[in-house]
Amino acid sequence: MSDPVQNDLMWLAPRRGQNWVDRDLLAGADWLESLVPAADWAARAAATDAMFQAAKAEWAEGRRVPLFDSADTVAWYLHQARRYGDPGLRPDFFMPEGYRIAPLLRRIGQLIPEFERIDGAEERAARMMTENLSQPDDGIYELLVAGAYARRGWDNVGFVPEAPGLAKTHDLNVDRPRSRWAIECKRAGRSDYGRDERLAGQRIAERAHVMSRAAGRPLVVLARYREELHLLGDDYLVAKVDAFLAGDQPFEWNDAGGDGVVLDVMWEPLHAVLQHDDIYFGSSRMVELLLGTYSPAADFTMEGDWEPGEGRPLHATWVDHVSLVHWLSTSDEAARRKSMHFRGLVSRAAAQLPGDRPGVIHVGYEEVGGNTADGRRLQLNTREMRSFDPGATGLRMVYSNYFMNELVTSRMESAAVSETLAWNPIGGARGKGPLPSHMLFMDEDGTPGSHLR
């Protein structure tokens, strides 16, 4: 086998230069924590760390208990942000979730000068830290959009005070000479349909994992589903895996539901790297070593048995058994159903615009496997907007901010963001609206597929 250090796939973690500090990220964490009474925050931070430390001990015994209290998700975000940015705390960085948290908090830190001159920014952030504890993504997205306007020449950017129990208000007003706009932000999570499809994929995969363990034979399933996943049935892969287990060669299939292959695990790359590095079990790096590549557009689940690292039970020092199910959905109907969710989200957001000034809706999509901004989805969303009637809302533009916090697999990277922007004029509007070609994670005007690393 070639020298692991010389082979791109077989890179090893650098042994030096690991004492770097992410000062922007830590500044963002400091700012947000300063908005909470010190004693209250100290108690919440301590409780979050205590639960994480107890969960690590459970994980070392093979019990995948929750790592944090979902009722205080924002405290978990700050916990993981600090463990990314501070080298003294970094051994407790949980990469499978922290990779998407670190870029968000870093950008918050970079935008602090803008927040200081945005009316209501501190109050909006404080509410996220003290009231909406379980859903910080909405508040973070609103802050990123406000910061993008402030950094791109809008003289007056201000959050609109909320009127609970009286009326729904839009999020922002932005003004400059001869131009005034109302802004509404919607952070798009998975639709109910998208969530159901993801769960269906997991149930299908679970049957393969159970069969692999029962047979004592590690395996990899690579699937491309043409049918909607919830219509395939939980046992869709059972016959395919059974045929593979009955023989000694890869098993390929191509039917109405999809196509793919079941094959034996190629252990050599993974075991060669594990002789030098510990690797998070179930991470993108482990997928890359098992498959030879990693695609952030795909969904996957992984199960198996591993020897936990000393003091780092979420890392594997050796893997004895593994099964990996890796899938893509190419269903046109699934894409169409997701675009209908987009139309409904825009309709609800438009109802919050005041109608006395032109309006813009920003829709934020964080792409996490199987939720990608591929050409088909963009095409369907555009079609939905062509027939959208804004009525008296004043809606003139819909911006879709697609961003993917990447599970990077490069030797010298630990966090990366890919962004894509789509814009849809509404009701006969022309041009690109008040914030053309913007990106949320960088200051330059972006182009489709821009990257920040």
Side-chain angles (χ1 to χ4, degrees), residues 240-253:
K240 285 82 167 168
V241 173
D242 195 48
F244 165 76
L245 294 174
D248 58 4
Q249 297 294 322
F251 176 80
E252 297 185 40
W253 83 90

Side-chain angles (χ1 to χ4, degrees), residues 18-36 38 41-42 44-46 48-49 52-53 73-95 97-106 108-109 112 129 414:
Q18 296 304 299
N19 61 342
W20 50 269
V21 176
D22 191 324
R23 301 192 185 282
D24 286 334
L25 179 148
L26 294 178
D30 288 342
W31 181 67
L32 290 173
E33 291 174 9
S34 74
L35 305 177
V36 184
W41 180 252
R44 289 168 60 191
T48 300
D49 189 55
F52 179 66
Q53 299 302 332
T73 300
V74 71
W76 168 247
Y77 276 32
L78 272 295
H79 179 276
Q80 282 299 295
R82 289 203 175 278
R83 278 141 190 85
Y84 177 86
D86 184 340
L89 301 175
R90 198 162 291 141
D92 275 342
F93 178 63
F94 182 63
M95 185 271 293
E97 289 197 18
Y99 81 95
R100 59 169 294 272
I101 296 170
L104 297 172
L105 270 292
R106 179 188 300 129
I108 292 292
I112 289 174
M129 293 294 294
S414 56

Side-chain angles (χ1 to χ4, degrees), residues 77-360:
Y77 276 32
L78 272 295
H79 179 276
Q80 282 299 295
R82 289 203 175 278
R83 278 141 190 85
Y84 177 86
D86 184 340
L89 301 175
R90 198 162 291 141
D92 275 342
F93 178 63
F94 182 63
M95 185 271 293
E97 289 197 18
Y99 81 95
R100 59 169 294 272
I101 296 170
L104 297 172
L105 270 292
R106 179 188 300 129
R107 189 57 173 165
I108 292 292
Q110 292 169 347
L111 290 172
I112 289 174
E114 279 62 46
F115 297 148
E116 291 174 346
R117 59 186 180 86
I118 295 174
D119 291 342
E122 185 171 301
E123 290 79 4
R124 189 62 58 104
R127 193 175 74 243
M128 177 183 76
M129 293 294 294
T130 59
E131 297 179 22
N132 302 332
L133 307 184
S134 65
Q135 297 180 323
D137 291 333
D138 295 343
I140 290 173
Y141 181 61
E142 292 166 6
L143 290 169
L144 294 183
V145 171
Y149 278 95
R151 279 217 170 176
R152 286 170 172 81
W154 285 84
D155 301 318
N156 297 301
V157 179
F159 282 94
V160 178
E162 293 189 330
L166 298 178
K168 288 189 174 182
T169 57
H170 57 291
D171 290 312
L172 293 160
N173 285 328
V174 299
D175 301 327
R176 62 186 177 192
R178 297 182 297 280
S179 189
R180 301 164 64 248
W181 292 78
I183 313 298
E184 175 63 16
C185 304
K186 289 296 181 186
R187 176 67 162 70
R190 286 183 186 267
S191 63
D192 290 342
Y193 175 83
R195 189 177 301 108
D196 289 346
E197 285 290 273
R198 168 68 178 170
L199 292 174
Q202 291 174 342
R203 292 194 301 271
I204 293 169
E206 180 59 25
R207 300 297 195 275
H209 294 310
V210 169
M211 295 175 71
S212 171
R213 185 176 292 280
R217 185 173 175 183
L219 58 80
V220 171
V221 180
L222 302 177
R224 185 169 51 197
Y225 298 128
R226 285 189 285 269
E227 181 61 271
E228 295 174 87
L229 274 70
H230 72 279
L231 296 178
L232 288 172
D234 295 351
D235 292 334
Y236 175 74
L237 290 178
V238 168
K240 285 82 167 168
V241 173
D242 195 48
F244 165 76
L245 294 174
D248 58 4
Q249 297 294 322
F251 176 80
E252 297 185 40
W253 83 90
N254 190 339
D255 58 29
D259 61 87
V261 61
V262 190
L263 62 160
D264 286 302
V265 171
M266 296 181 292
W267 286 107
E268 290 82 359
L270 176 61
H271 280 168
V273 172
L274 284 173
Q275 292 177 15
H276 303 273
D277 288 345
D278 295 347
I279 303 174
Y280 267 111
F281 187 86
S283 65
S284 58
R285 176 62 174 147
M286 192 166 284
V287 171
E288 181 183 51
L289 289 167
L290 290 171
L291 298 183
T293 186
Y294 170 72
S295 170
D299 281 306
F300 72 89
T301 61
M302 186 186 300
E303 293 190 10
D305 300 314
W306 76 93
E307 298 175 20
E310 184 176 355
R312 297 201 303 172
L314 310 182
H315 284 74
T317 63
W318 196 255
V319 175
D320 300 303
H321 176 86
V322 69
S323 55
L324 169 65
V325 181
H326 181 279
W327 72 91
L328 286 166
S329 170
T330 62
S331 165
D332 277 347
E333 179 60 17
R336 188 193 69 81
R337 295 282 295 274
K338 291 173 183 177
S339 72
M340 291 299 293
H341 170 65
F342 174 74
R343 184 186 183 95
L345 187 150
V346 170
S347 180
R348 292 189 296 274
Q352 294 182 231
L353 294 172
D356 60 354
R357 56 168 68 192
V360 173

